[in-house]
Amino acid sequence: MVEEQGGSLPEVRARVRASHGITDLARKLRFYDRWAPDYDQDVATLQYRAPSLAVDYLAQALKGPPGAALVLDVACGTGLVAAELQARGFIQLHGVDGSPGMLEQAQARRLYQSLSLCTLGQEPLPSPEGTFDAVLMVGALSDGQVPCSALPELLRVTKAGGLVCLTTRTNPSNLSYKETLEAEMARLEQSGAWERLMAQPVDHWELATAKHELPPDAANDSDGFISGIVYLYRKQPATLGDGGKEA
């Protein structure tokens, strides 16, 4: 078993690789509980860029001052996204996560107005319909974490005209999940639930944890990066079909 404590780059790679390999949700949440005290240090070692990229794109698309926006950070972890949001002027921040250990670290940042324990995909979000101007979920869309079927729940709590920002990895081991995710995104768009504003591929997402995660032309680059993608959607004034109800 990989011990969840801060360490060298090879140790961090082994730990993240172990996390990616856990597809059972209960096991993964226990893993994150143990990892929480050293999570920030480890993802910094991997040069993980998703939180800053996602918030950059969200801030560019937001209509109105960021300080007035009510924001939900889903699968908030230790609060890395909240730190990026605060740096760009967002102050009305609420977070949910399925790991008590991660929420404890997020609470210590004192950036959120509220934090709730919630395992998206197994239970609804603890908010009424149409509550938030923006909803983000960064780093939790992969096997063993949040299922693609949970996307309508994100829309449910988003205001009409509000933004939904999502990320996922595009390295080889996550491509099957990404395909399923994009099919669900397309279904919701076709139903009129939301419109896509952008889908931005990113080459340098984080350092790869194994050579087989790299593209074929970089297979011998032990210091190479995996790729990822940031999606940004706007909720339509009325959601049609079975993707959700009008909020």
Side-chain angles (χ1 to χ4, degrees):
M1 175 179 157
V2 179
E3 291 296 327
E4 292 79 27
Q5 57 185 9
S8 65
L9 178 57
E11 291 169 336
V12 171
R13 279 178 160 153
R15 188 153 45 251
V16 175
R17 190 163 59 245
S19 171
H20 291 174
I22 300 171
T23 56
D24 177 77
L25 179 58
R27 285 186 58 213
K28 180 155 281 190
L29 290 175
R30 290 194 296 270
F31 185 99
Y32 275 108
D33 281 340
R34 295 190 299 269
W35 192 11
D38 297 297
Y39 179 83
D40 288 2
Q41 175 187 332
D42 284 359
V43 297
T45 298
L46 289 181
Q47 301 178 48
Y48 179 54
R49 301 176 62 211
S52 62
L53 291 167
V55 173
D56 277 344
Y57 291 124
L58 176 73
Q60 291 168 25
L62 184 74
K63 296 178 180 178
L70 194 62
V71 181
L72 179 64
D73 182 7
V74 179
C76 65
T78 62
L80 291 175
V81 170
E84 298 290 345
L85 287 164
Q86 186 198 48
R88 291 159 183 79
F90 293 88
I91 55 174
Q92 298 190 70
L93 311 180
H94 300 263
V96 299
D97 199 273
S99 162
M102 288 286 184
L103 286 174
E104 183 178 348
Q105 298 298 315
Q107 182 65 47
R109 289 182 185 269
R110 301 184 181 278
L111 297 179
Y112 294 97
Q113 291 182 313
S114 73
L115 286 165
S116 301
L117 183 66
C118 175
T119 305
L120 185 60
Q122 294 194 348
E123 57 188 321
L125 291 167
S127 301
E129 293 186 16
T131 299
F132 297 99
D133 299 290
V135 175
L136 300 94
M137 184 160 56
V138 176
L141 287 168
S142 64
D143 281 331
Q145 292 185 283
V146 177
C148 302
S149 59
L151 294 187
E153 180 63 7
L154 302 179
L155 274 167
R156 182 185 68 80
V157 301
T158 305
K159 292 178 181 177
L163 300 173
V164 180
C165 185
L166 309 169
T167 74
T168 196
R169 305 188 315 273
T170 57
N171 54 312
S173 68
N174 202 50
L175 289 181
S176 176
Y177 180 95
K178 176 178 176 284
E179 181 179 353
T180 303
L181 174 67
E182 291 187 340
E184 176 65 4
M185 289 172 164
R187 184 189 71 80
L188 290 168
E189 187 163 24
Q190 290 164 7
S191 76
W194 61 9
E195 62 171 334
R196 179 183 287 188
L197 302 181
M198 56 157 278
Q200 181 61 54
V202 178
D203 289 335
H204 288 71
W205 193 255
E206 67 181 3
L207 286 172
T209 60
K211 286 186 178 181
H212 70 267
E213 296 288 9
L214 294 165
D217 59 357
N220 295 320
D221 184 358
S222 61
D223 294 322
F225 285 77
I226 65 168
S227 56
I229 187 167
V230 180
Y231 305 95
L232 189 63
Y233 286 85
R234 190 181 304 280
K235 183 177 177 178
Q236 296 291 70
T239 57
L240 307 177
D242 62 355
K245 297 180 180 178
E246 183 175 357

